[in-house]
Amino acid sequence: MEDEKFKLFLKSIGKNIRVLREKQGFTILEISQKTGISEKYLCKIEEGKAYNLKLCTHLSRISFILKTDISEILRLN
């Protein structure tokens, strides 16, 4: 059950990032270039499939580029 909640949480984070990114007109490539995070990993984040410990660091970089508070990314839908 906890594993399912965590997966839903990651999917919510990914959706929030995708919505914010698209709303601001950024492509995954542009975010990749600005954050130093690979396009492949950014796709995993947006799909809710990024499970490693670097996620917090990456979320911090992404929120900075998107000019949003990290709480906006972490909010549950």
Side-chain angles (χ1 to χ4, degrees), residues 6-18:
F6 184 67
K7 286 179 181 178
L8 287 173
F9 179 65
L10 291 177
K11 284 193 177 289
S12 180
I13 289 171
K15 179 182 176 189
N16 292 342
I17 290 171
R18 182 174 39 260

Side-chain angles (χ1 to χ4, degrees), residues 6-18 21 28 31-32 37-52 54-55 58-59 62:
F6 184 67
K7 286 179 181 178
L8 287 173
F9 179 65
L10 291 177
K11 284 193 177 289
S12 180
I13 289 171
K15 179 182 176 189
N16 292 342
I17 290 171
R18 182 174 39 260
R21 176 180 61 75
I28 288 183
I31 297 296
S32 174
I37 303 168
S38 74
E39 290 176 81
K40 183 177 179 180
Y41 193 72
L42 283 168
C43 287
K44 279 188 171 187
I45 292 172
E46 287 192 359
E47 292 168 359
K49 297 178 182 177
Y51 298 107
N52 72 33
K54 291 183 180 179
L55 181 60
H58 295 325
L59 292 180
I62 294 167

Side-chain angles (χ1 to χ4, degrees), residues 52-65:
N52 72 33
L53 295 176
K54 291 183 180 179
L55 181 60
C56 290
T57 302
H58 295 325
L59 292 180
S60 176
R61 289 181 189 167
I62 294 167
S63 68
F64 178 77
I65 296 302

